[in-house]
Amino acid sequence: MAIPLESQNAFSVLVVVVDQRRIGASKHSFPLARRENIWFAPRPNKLFVVAAGTGECREGDFWSDRNRKSETRSYKLLDQIGSDRFPPGMDLDENVAEIEEDKGHAWTLCVHAFNDLTHVTPVVFVYLLKESYFYGTVKATTKFQALQHQVYLVLHNDPQPGPAAFVVQCLYVSPLYNDCSSGFSHLIISALGRFLKKATTSENSLEAKDLATHLFIDIVVGQVFHDERIIVKILETFDIKLKDVEKIMVQMKAKDGSSHVTAQDLMEKYIFELAESQLYMTAVTLMERFSIFCFGKSFLLSMVQSHQFKAAEKWATFMGKPMLCTLVEEYCERNLLKNAYEIIKMNNLQQDFPDAYRKCKESSIKKLAEKGCWDVAEARTNGDRQLVEYLVYLAMEAGYTEKIDELCDRYSLDGILQKVPDESIQHRRYLHLDELFVEDIIWVDEYKGLLDATTHIEDCKVIGVDSEWKPNHVKGSKPNKASIFQIASKSVVFIFDLIKLHQEVPDILDDCLTRILQSPIILKLGYNLQCDIKQLAHSYEELKCFRHFESLLDIQKVFKNHRGGLSGLAEKVLGAGLNKTRRNSDWEQRPLSQYQLEYAALDAAVLIRIFSRVSGEADDKFEWKSYIESHTRSTRNSK
């Protein structure tokens, strides 16, 4: 479709990019270059739209170049771009520039503003938008968001023949910018979508919709190129239906006498082309929008094989229950249990796939148990006895004794232990506190205990540190406060109740921990220390003790090539790992269980033993002194 972006009588458009240093007082001019009827000079920072001749130009102020010895040349200022209405990176507060002209021609200078789009054509608008984007210095995402908001604002400023039609015309122009076209097209159409939701306009919406439908047809037949995301945006923004496509195609036939192809036939052909190009999501979107039922099971299998699961699920939902069942079967066959579970759950297919549903649930519960999220795993059972028994079995495998007893008591699972053959349970040996020569675990939650613990720790040369906090399983939510802080010496582990101490004696807590953590003569051992430091600092921002640390040694950095976290390292160095089943338990409950206390103590005490074992080795691979560091929390990250 040909659109009259410029009438034959309109002035020729020139766009000049001028360096800020060449504005006003400068005596130098720039040669102009021409590209597709757009003239420009290659200088950054400044943009001017220039019109040849004066016949079609609006009246404005005259500017003269009186600094040149040659004859005075006049420039006509048509409009000025206000800095408060122009996108970032486009500081156009100057209003005169020196422009070299061809002999015998006078150029009219038009510094165009976005605050009045009455006389701004889509060609100029898109060009200025592109220049505004490329000459900015901020990150691409920030520029894109700023420009999108700016386009939304300027669509209120009387673009002709109306905001929606103007945007459609811009979408005809934007493909000329090749690699940039997709981004600018998305920016413009998204801004229009926002505009149409919030603003009122006197524009003829039917005419704009017809123009958008014409653009869509031109894209389908290959006369205009836009990627599939823009195609979907156009359909959604203008709510184009199959009847709208048919209407425009009838008008096109009456105008040019072309052979009549139905809208249904055209769309089916285009959908086949999209499918052949593996643009499945766009093909499915068009089938859904235009209620076109084509393809069969092979189409579904192609999408699954190409790992385009969202498109497969969208199309199966559109086609109905039989295709949904086929998709579930395919997922199960490929062992994509999570995908199958979601389809079964969302479409109430539990009765159709009871075995698959249970298998999916068990897989989900097992993954949670492996992560130590036992409470969440239990909640996922919804009290189903078979699933609870499966969770008990997982606890047996993990050696999580108290969880076994807890589940058996809560769900009256008497006799379940006799049902499980002993040989089916994988027994692993884990480290115990007595193997680490730990004589005592001391719980610190009051003033005197805090002072006694500090006095003991200050006499140590090496300590192990760790912290625990209650897991938060709500996606996107903030983590809970650090609940406890463990400090291990060679024979004693102190567990500080941070929550209570911070509430009752915050100043004393701050002073005591500062003396320990900021002491340069006490070596503090940890594993993945950055995680604990960050959590402690965010949990207690007002405490100075967690802002700065001296003499830190992160054991993880010393042993770079091991696997399995701290437990794996313990197994490598000491011959047995750590039982990590309790790491995601409720660390805010009081009192902590004996199992929780032992778990917390082990995490700190094992660092002392690993360090003692390897620090005396002569082999260079155990060199550790160069890894000692200090840490100061950045004020920028404290917000």
Side-chain angles (χ1 to χ4, degrees):
M1 175 185 179
I3 57 174
L5 301 179
E6 303 265 17
S7 65
Q8 292 182 352
N9 296 325
F11 52 79
S12 301
V13 175
L14 297 98
V15 177
V16 183
V17 184
V18 185
D19 193 314
Q20 188 172 7
R21 293 169 297 178
R22 304 291 182 107
I23 296 294
S26 173
K27 297 181 180 181
H28 302 285
S29 59
F30 312 115
L32 298 178
R34 180 171 181 168
R35 290 184 184 175
E36 299 179 354
N37 296 323
I38 296 178
W39 294 72
F40 67 98
R43 296 290 187 273
N45 301 334
K46 296 291 178 179
L47 290 181
F48 297 91
V49 181
V50 182
T54 60
E56 295 295 322
C57 300
R58 296 186 294 121
E59 290 298 320
D61 298 327
F62 282 88
W63 296 84
S64 297
D65 177 2
R66 303 184 184 279
N67 294 320
R68 299 180 65 88
K69 295 180 179 179
S70 58
E71 63 175 297
T72 299
R73 290 183 286 274
S74 297
Y75 305 99
K76 182 171 290 185
L77 176 65
L78 298 182
D79 200 359
Q80 181 175 347
I81 299 181
S83 59
D84 61 328
R85 298 295 294 167
F86 213 79
M90 296 289 294
D91 180 17
L92 298 181
D93 54 346
E94 302 287 346
N95 51 23
V96 65
E98 295 176 351
I99 300 172
E100 187 171 278
E101 53 197 355
D102 292 338
K103 190 174 182 180
H105 289 81
W107 299 109
T108 305
L109 180 62
C110 169
V111 187
H112 248 305
F114 274 2
N115 59 1
D116 180 9
L117 295 185
T118 307
H119 298 284
V120 177
T121 66
V123 169
V124 174
F125 182 80
V126 176
Y127 185 88
L128 290 175
L129 199 62
K130 179 183 77 71
E131 294 298 318
S132 176
Y133 179 82
F134 280 116
Y135 289 115
T137 58
V138 294
K139 291 182 179 180
T141 303
T142 304
K143 285 193 287 187
F144 184 91
Q145 292 172 346
L147 284 174
Q148 186 183 58
H149 181 66
Q150 191 69 26
V151 173
Y152 161 73
L153 293 177
V154 301
L155 286 177
H156 295 78
N157 299 339
D158 202 22
Q160 298 300 315
F166 182 80
V167 165
V168 175
Q169 292 179 343
C170 288
L171 292 174
Y172 271 101
V173 175
S174 58
L176 297 175
Y177 293 102
N178 300 325
D179 295 339
C180 312
S181 65
S182 178
F184 290 127
S185 299
H186 178 69
L187 186 154
I188 295 168
I189 191 69
S190 298
L192 176 64
R194 181 182 170 194
F195 173 85
L196 294 176
K197 289 179 181 178
K198 297 185 177 182
T200 57
T201 175
S202 59
E203 180 181 16
N204 189 323
S205 59
L206 184 58
E207 290 182 5
K209 185 174 185 177
D210 289 348
L211 185 61
T213 305
H214 209 311
L215 171 61
F216 171 66
I217 294 172
D218 286 343
I219 296 171
V220 170
V221 300
Q223 292 184 4
V224 178
F225 175 77
H226 277 294
D227 68 29
E228 64 275 7
R229 295 179 305 159
I230 305 304
I231 296 170
V232 173
K233 277 280 187 182
I234 293 170
L235 294 173
E236 292 175 347
T237 302
F238 292 93
D239 192 27
I240 297 174
K241 305 292 185 183
L242 193 63
K243 64 180 182 180
D244 302 313
V245 179
E246 186 68 40
K247 171 187 171 182
I248 298 302
M249 291 183 66
V250 170
Q251 292 177 0
M252 293 171 67
K253 179 187 177 184
K255 184 176 181 180
D256 56 26
S258 58
S259 58
H260 182 61
V261 178
T262 66
Q264 178 91 10
D265 293 339
L266 181 65
M267 290 302 102
E268 286 184 359
K269 179 183 177 183
Y270 184 55
I271 289 167
F272 271 100
E273 292 173 356
L274 291 170
E276 288 178 356
S277 302
Q278 294 192 348
L279 298 173
Y280 293 121
M281 183 57 83
T282 307
V284 170
T285 300
L286 264 60
M287 282 189 278
E288 190 176 56
R289 172 164 287 274
F290 298 136
S291 298
I292 294 176
F293 295 86
C294 53
F295 301 116
K297 181 180 178 180
S298 60
F299 181 60
L300 181 72
L301 298 181
S302 297
M303 288 187 281
V304 174
Q305 194 162 355
S306 301
H307 299 282
Q308 297 194 34
F309 303 128
K310 293 295 183 184
E313 291 162 12
K314 185 180 177 72
W315 184 71
T317 302
F318 169 65
M319 295 297 288
K321 185 175 178 179
M323 200 59 70
L324 283 169
C325 292
T326 301
L327 180 59
V328 171
E329 292 169 356
E330 187 65 23
Y331 278 157
C332 291
E333 186 175 333
R334 294 173 180 268
N335 202 34
L336 298 170
L337 298 180
K338 183 177 180 180
N339 302 63
Y341 173 75
E342 292 298 329
I343 295 295
I344 293 171
K345 183 179 177 182
M346 289 178 60
N347 296 277
N348 297 317
L349 299 176
Q350 291 89 335
Q351 293 183 352
D352 298 273
F353 298 96
D355 295 336
Y357 183 70
R358 182 167 300 282
K359 188 178 180 182
C360 294
K361 290 281 284 187
E362 288 179 352
S363 174
S364 173
I365 290 170
K366 184 176 182 180
K367 288 179 180 178
L368 288 168
E370 288 172 348
K371 294 177 181 178
C373 302
W374 293 92
D375 293 339
V376 180
E378 183 183 349
R380 292 280 177 90
T381 65
N382 291 321
D384 183 287
R385 186 177 180 86
Q386 285 183 298
L387 292 176
V388 172
E389 289 182 356
Y390 179 70
L391 187 59
V392 170
Y393 172 75
L394 294 175
M396 290 177 183
E397 282 190 325
Y400 197 172
T401 310
E402 70 268 31
K403 178 57 70 173
I404 297 171
D405 295 338
E406 180 185 326
L407 292 172
C408 288
D409 290 342
R410 184 176 298 140
Y411 296 97
S412 302
L413 300 178
D414 299 332
I416 187 175
L417 299 180
Q418 286 73 29
K419 296 180 182 179
V420 182
D422 187 66
E423 60 272 14
S424 68
I425 301 176
Q426 299 179 7
H427 294 282
R428 289 187 59 187
R429 194 179 82 80
Y430 295 111
L431 285 172
H432 294 281
L433 284 173
D434 54 357
E435 297 177 78
L436 301 178
F437 308 106
V438 174
E439 298 174 2
D440 199 4
I441 301 173
I442 299 177
W443 179 256
V444 181
D445 66 350
E446 44 81 31
Y447 169 76
K448 186 178 183 304
L450 181 57
L451 294 180
D452 291 342
T454 304
T455 301
H456 176 93
I457 295 167
E458 285 185 305
D459 289 335
C460 300
K461 293 182 178 180
V462 180
I463 58 175
V465 298
D466 190 33
S467 63
E468 306 291 346
W469 54 91
K470 181 181 178 180
N472 191 338
H473 303 295
V474 180
K475 189 175 182 180
S477 60
K478 294 182 179 180
N480 292 308
K481 272 188 169 187
S483 177
I484 61 173
F485 186 49
Q486 308 100 278
I487 298 181
S489 66
K490 287 187 176 181
S491 59
V492 180
V493 179
F494 297 93
I495 301 180
F496 296 81
D497 185 349
L498 291 180
I499 294 177
K500 185 179 179 184
L501 291 170
H502 179 255
Q503 289 174 347
E504 296 182 358
V505 286
D507 294 338
I508 299 173
L509 173 67
D510 198 8
D511 177 67
C512 289
L513 291 184
T514 297
R515 286 155 54 187
I516 297 170
L517 300 177
Q518 297 181 14
S519 170
I521 63 174
I522 303 175
L523 180 62
K524 274 76 71 174
L525 308 175
Y527 189 89
N528 191 16
L529 273 169
Q530 287 296 327
C531 180
D532 289 300
I533 290 173
K534 181 179 178 181
Q535 184 66 19
L536 289 165
H538 279 293
S539 299
Y540 305 97
E541 294 186 347
E542 68 279 14
L543 297 185
K544 297 178 182 179
C545 59
F546 297 133
R547 298 179 189 174
H548 180 71
F549 296 78
E550 285 288 345
S551 299
L552 295 175
L553 178 60
D554 193 336
I555 296 294
Q556 185 184 40
K557 295 181 180 179
V558 180
F559 296 87
K560 296 180 180 179
N561 299 319
H562 77 282
R563 295 181 179 180
L566 181 58
S567 177
L569 179 59
E571 187 168 9
K572 176 181 178 181
V573 177
L574 303 177
L578 301 173
N579 189 335
K580 306 296 288 186
T581 56
R582 299 164 186 84
R583 68 180 181 271
N584 285 324
S585 58
D586 184 358
W587 294 103
E588 293 183 4
Q589 72 176 6
R590 296 293 183 268
L592 295 180
S593 69
Q594 185 61 31
Y595 294 106
Q596 285 178 303
L597 292 172
E598 291 179 1
Y599 172 90
L602 275 165
D603 265 9
V606 75
L607 296 167
I608 301 287
R609 292 304 148 202
I610 291 174
F611 178 75
S612 298
R613 179 70 61 87
V614 303
S615 60
E617 296 284 346
D619 198 324
D620 287 342
K621 69 180 180 179
F622 292 128
E623 193 278 330
W624 54 270
K625 291 183 179 179
S626 62
Y627 291 96
I628 297 177
E629 59 187 357
S630 61
H631 174 86
T632 301
R633 189 187 183 200
S634 171
T635 54
R636 181 179 59 183
N637 297 330
S638 64
K639 296 181 180 180

